[in-house]
Amino acid sequence: MPPAPRPAGTLLGFDFGTRRIGVAVANTITRQASPLTTIEIADERARLEAIATLVREWSPSQIVVGVPVHADGATHAITAKARAFAATLARRFKLPVAEVDERYTTEIAQQVLDESELPRRRHRSVRDQVAAQLILQGFLDDPGTA
């Protein structure tokens, strides 16, 4: 059975982390993801409120969450936390949430930043949103989710 068609409109992508959550935005017409922001809030309730503000502002038709796994595909502690985060977003915002493999996105994001003209002191503040951009762009580029 082919995958269900993706809802048209704006997508928000998340690179989940226990300290920081990178956020990216994309549109299904342009099919281009862009870094948006990094949420660096320790309190879970305040984190969700910051995400709610983004959901109200961008009115996404779907959310994409990167799920980390080991290089061999095995799950680990953060895998379960990222999936719980995705489930929380689905319940709270009543939107479809896609979970995607995010292997190596943080490393690739760091490589991109190392090759950029952005001052090194700014890398940490944008690395997670660039990782979210890579996650979201990968989702858009995957023919299995078109």
Side-chain angles (χ1 to χ4, degrees):
M1 174 178 261
R6 179 180 312 140
T10 300
L11 307 176
L12 285 179
F14 294 90
D15 176 39
F16 174 80
T18 56
R19 293 187 188 144
R20 289 178 301 279
I21 298 173
V23 186
V25 64
N27 184 286
T28 58
I29 294 170
T30 63
R31 302 184 68 77
Q32 286 295 125
S34 300
L36 184 60
T37 190
T38 301
I39 298 170
E40 196 165 357
I41 302 171
D43 178 70
E44 186 175 345
R45 187 176 300 196
R47 274 179 158 196
L48 285 173
E49 197 46 50
I51 292 168
T53 298
L54 293 172
V55 169
R56 283 190 299 273
E57 179 180 349
W58 290 92
S59 300
S61 59
Q62 184 169 13
I63 292 172
V64 176
V65 175
V67 176
V69 293
H70 288 293
D72 65 359
T75 61
H76 51 76
I78 302 299
T79 306
K81 289 180 180 184
R83 287 189 169 135
F85 172 72
T88 297
L89 296 182
R91 277 191 310 275
R92 175 147 183 189
F93 302 113
K94 310 279 189 275
L95 290 168
V97 175
E99 295 179 8
V100 299
D101 183 339
E102 68 155 46
R103 261 180 278 195
Y104 307 115
T105 55
T106 301
E107 291 84 358
I108 295 168
Q110 187 59 57
Q111 255 184 332
V112 168
L113 291 170
D114 287 345
E115 295 169 7
S116 76
E117 294 182 17
L118 189 69
R120 194 134 178 76
R121 67 182 182 282
R122 294 267 338 270
H123 286 196
R124 185 201 235 168
S125 66
V126 299
R127 182 182 53 227
D128 297 302
Q129 55 191 277
V130 172
Q133 175 191 15
L134 293 167
I135 291 164
L136 193 50
Q137 191 64 54
F139 176 78
L140 289 167
D141 293 345
D142 184 353
T145 61

